[in-house]
Structure formats: structure tokens, C-alpha cells
């Protein structure tokens, strides 16, 4: 089915939390990588978070992964990075959000009170407020969904995040996602990082070629896209898209016992990184958010 391009938007922020995937962790463990840390040998192999920020960002140097990121400074100011969201519409009424990272960095997941494998969200993107009006105009005329509701993620100081979701089943997730794919092998810096880690972990370099380090939606995976905005002092600061999964639960054998978490999909390889939703769901979510902010 033919896809029509609706626009390409520069992302203000983009992060894919691959450490949230027990599937990828298990694939690396089976290959011989000590993920995330081996107490006996001291070998540390955290799975990278892929990150890009359009306005630069301060970050602790020790949280950057890969040899090109090493620095003598404790705090580094990252340069402007480039990631883009291409929005496509087909005749069947589906939208595809395709992601392209041109300049980005690898981060180690910092300490959190809740393990990432228990989160719903494992990929997050934000675009400028101008994209909200533009996308609504391009989708205008689509049949609207009636069972779209609003929830809030609470306040961060004076900043409020609100998002739309479809039906009670998707309150924690947003609107239903019908397919997606994200893969570590699609990122040259991540590939180089694991090449560097092969010797330290005692893994033959050739084994990397046979690993599946990407995630594709399974039929049984319950996946959703939170469509929302950050609201600050009477203005929309950014439009937010968050990909999450919350079913089924899976377990793997980690370095130190069984680990339970939320499935992120099936291991796979692919060329294009994307998320697919129903256009009417997405349009309905944008309209609901806009109406809630008194911007009809």
C-alpha cells in the first residue's frame, strides 16, 4: 500500500531505552557478554541508551559510553544533535512514524528506584509545538474516535504533562500501536561499542554478526503510544510521543538469578525504525489534548 509523506520534523529530544529489554539482555548474555556487570571479573557491559538532543545537554562523562566519548571532564556539554521524525499516511488509514538519528550519543542508564524492565515507556520523542497545529491540519477530516480520554503525568515544578489514551485498557499506554521496530544494530556507535567490548568479555568478534539486537512487536505484545504535551506557564513547551509496552511479562536467567520484566517484543533485525498507529486514533488524541488546553 502506498505511503504519503505528511512531513519531516526535527526532534527536540529522542531516547530509546534498550536496557529496558530483557530480550536483548538475554541475547547478549547467551553470546558471552557480561550484562550489565560481573562482580567477579569487574567487566561492565551496560546496554546503551540511544540519545539525541537538539539543543545540547549537560551530562556526566562517566555516563557516556564508547571510546569517542571519553573525556577528562566530569561534566560535558554535548553539541547539538540531529534526529528526525518522518510522518507517513497510507490509504488504509494508518500512520507510520519513521525515526532517523544522524548525530547522537550513547548513555549508560543511571540509577533509578524502579528497574527499567518494569517501566511501560521504553522510547520517548519530542517535537516543537508548531508540529501540533501542522499535523492536525494535515489530518483534518479524518473520522474521529469517541473513546479518547485525558490523563496527566503530574507536575515537574510548574511544568505539567498531559496525554491522551484510548479506552480503559490503554490508560497506561496511550493509543494502540500496531507495529514497531527499533534495533541497536541500526546505530553505528552502538555497533562500535559492542565491538570494543568483545575482547573485554572474551567474545569472538564474529559472533556479533549473528546476534539479533532489535525489537519488533509480537502479536501478543500490548503496545501503546502516549500522545501528549508539556504545558508551562500557559504555553505548550513540546509535543511528546512515548512508546510503551506492558504485556506480557517475561523472565530470563540473569548473571545472578532470574529477572522478571515486561516484554518489549520479539528479537529481530531490520532496516527502518518505525512505529505504526491508526491515523484516526492519533488525530483524536491530538484533538483531545488541544481541546483540554482550550485551543480548539
Amino acid at each position: 500500500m502506498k505511503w504519503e509523506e505528511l512531513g519531516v520534523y526535527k526532534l527536540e529530544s529522542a531516547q530509546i531505552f534498550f536496557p529496558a529489554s530483557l530480550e536483548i539482555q538475554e541475547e547478549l548474555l547467551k553470546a558471552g557478554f557480561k550484562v550489565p556487570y560481573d562482580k567477579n571479573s569487574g567487566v561492565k557491559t551496560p546496554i546503551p541508551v540511544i540519545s539525541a538532543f537538539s539543543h545540547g545537554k549537560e551530562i556526566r562523562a562517566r555516563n557516556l559510553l564508547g571510546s569517542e566519548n571519553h573525556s577528562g571532564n566530569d561534566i560535558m556539554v554535548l553539541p547539538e544533535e540531529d534526529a528526525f521524525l518522518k510522518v507517513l499516511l497510507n490509504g488504509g488509514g494508518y500512520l507510520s512514524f519513521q525515526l532517523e538519528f544522524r548525530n547522537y550519543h550513547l548513555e549508560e542508564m543511571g540509577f533509578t528506584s524502579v528497574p527499567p524492565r518494569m517501566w511501560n515507556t521504553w522510547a520517548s520523542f519530542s517535537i516543537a509545538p508548531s508540529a501540533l497545529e501542522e499535523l492536525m491540519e494535515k489530518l483534518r477530516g479524518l473520522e474521529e474516535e469517541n473513546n479518547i480520554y485525558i490523563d496527566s503525568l503530574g507536575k515537574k515544578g510548574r511544568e505539567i504533562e498531559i496525554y491522551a489514551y484510548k479506552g480503559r485498557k490503554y490508560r497506561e499506554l496511550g493509543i494502540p500501536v500496531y507495529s514497531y521496530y527499533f534495533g541497536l544494530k541500526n546505530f553505528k556507535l552502538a555497533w562500535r561499542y559492542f565491538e570494543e567490548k568483545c575482547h573485554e568479555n572474551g567474545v569472538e568478534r564474529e559472533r556479533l554478526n549473528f546476534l539479533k539486537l532489535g525489537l519488533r512487536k509480537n502479536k501478543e505484545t500490548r503496545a501503546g503510544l502516549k500522545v501528549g504535551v508539556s504545558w508551562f506557564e500557559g504555553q505548550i513547551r513540546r509535543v511528546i510521543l512515548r512508546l510503551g509496552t506492558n504485556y506480557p511479562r517475561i523472565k530470563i536467567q540473569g548473571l545472578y538469578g532470574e529477572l522478571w520484566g515486561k516484554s518489549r517484543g520479539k528479537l529481530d533485525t531490520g532496516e527502518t525504525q518505525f512505529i505504526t498507529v491508526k491515523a484516526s486514533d492519533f488525530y483524536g488524541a491530538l484533538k483531545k489534548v488541544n481541546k483540554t488546553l482550550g485551543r480548539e
Side-chain angles (χ1 to χ4, degrees), residues 8-58:
V8 178
Y9 304 92
K10 184 170 183 177
L11 291 164
E12 295 194 345
S13 66
Q15 289 189 289
I16 307 174
F17 297 93
F18 286 108
S21 168
L22 287 178
E23 295 90 348
I24 288 179
Q25 183 171 338
E26 184 176 48
E27 181 82 342
L28 290 166
L29 286 169
K30 287 180 177 178
F33 289 95
K34 304 297 188 290
V35 180
Y37 177 70
D38 182 24
K39 300 174 184 176
N40 296 322
S41 65
V43 174
K44 184 179 181 182
T45 315
I47 299 172
V49 178
I50 308 296
S51 300
F53 297 94
S54 66
H55 302 299
K57 181 186 177 182
E58 285 191 355

Side-chain angles (χ1 to χ4, degrees), residues 98-159:
Q98 296 185 0
L99 282 297
E100 180 187 1
F101 288 70
R102 296 180 187 172
N103 298 295
Y104 58 93
H105 64 277
L106 309 181
E107 291 184 28
E108 179 179 353
M109 175 69 70
F111 175 81
T112 61
S113 58
V114 179
R117 66 179 186 273
M118 302 303 296
W119 299 355
N120 288 335
T121 296
W122 59 272
S124 180
F125 315 98
S126 68
I127 51 182
S130 57
L132 179 63
E133 288 77 15
E134 186 175 327
L135 284 171
M136 285 189 63
E137 183 61 34
K138 290 182 176 181
L139 295 172
R140 198 174 304 280
L142 287 177
E143 181 181 351
E144 296 180 33
E145 294 289 339
N146 294 320
N147 56 338
I148 302 290
Y149 306 96
I150 287 290
D151 202 356
S152 171
L153 297 180
K155 293 184 177 181
K156 298 179 180 178
R158 289 179 292 173
E159 184 175 344

Side-chain angles (χ1 to χ4, degrees), residues 121-228:
T121 296
W122 59 272
S124 180
F125 315 98
S126 68
I127 51 182
S130 57
L132 179 63
E133 288 77 15
E134 186 175 327
L135 284 171
M136 285 189 63
E137 183 61 34
K138 290 182 176 181
L139 295 172
R140 198 174 304 280
L142 287 177
E143 181 181 351
E144 296 180 33
E145 294 289 339
N146 294 320
N147 56 338
I148 302 290
Y149 306 96
I150 287 290
D151 202 356
S152 171
L153 297 180
K155 293 184 177 181
K156 298 179 180 178
R158 289 179 292 173
E159 184 175 344
I160 301 172
E161 286 189 8
I162 65 169
Y163 70 93
Y165 65 94
K166 183 178 180 179
R168 183 181 301 176
K169 185 177 179 180
Y170 279 85
R171 181 163 189 165
E172 294 181 335
L173 294 172
I175 61 173
V177 166
Y178 291 86
S179 60
Y180 59 75
Y181 172 77
F182 289 100
L184 276 166
K185 284 189 176 181
N186 298 74
F187 296 95
K188 290 182 179 179
L189 293 184
W191 184 255
R192 193 181 307 158
Y193 165 77
F194 283 113
E195 285 182 322
E196 293 169 355
K197 286 291 183 178
C198 280
H199 177 71
E200 187 179 352
N201 284 270
V203 176
E204 293 183 1
R205 161 65 185 78
E206 290 71 21
R207 292 204 68 176
L208 279 177
N209 298 324
F210 301 98
L211 299 184
K212 292 182 179 180
L213 299 179
L215 297 163
R216 193 178 298 276
K217 185 183 180 301
N218 258 332
K219 183 178 181 181
E220 63 269 22
T221 305
R222 185 185 300 140
L225 184 70
K226 284 186 175 178
V227 180

Side-chain angles (χ1 to χ4, degrees), residues 61 64-73 76 196:
L64 291 170
L65 296 177
S67 59
E68 72 286 344
N69 289 322
H70 291 170
S71 168
N73 300 322
M76 291 182 62
E196 293 169 355

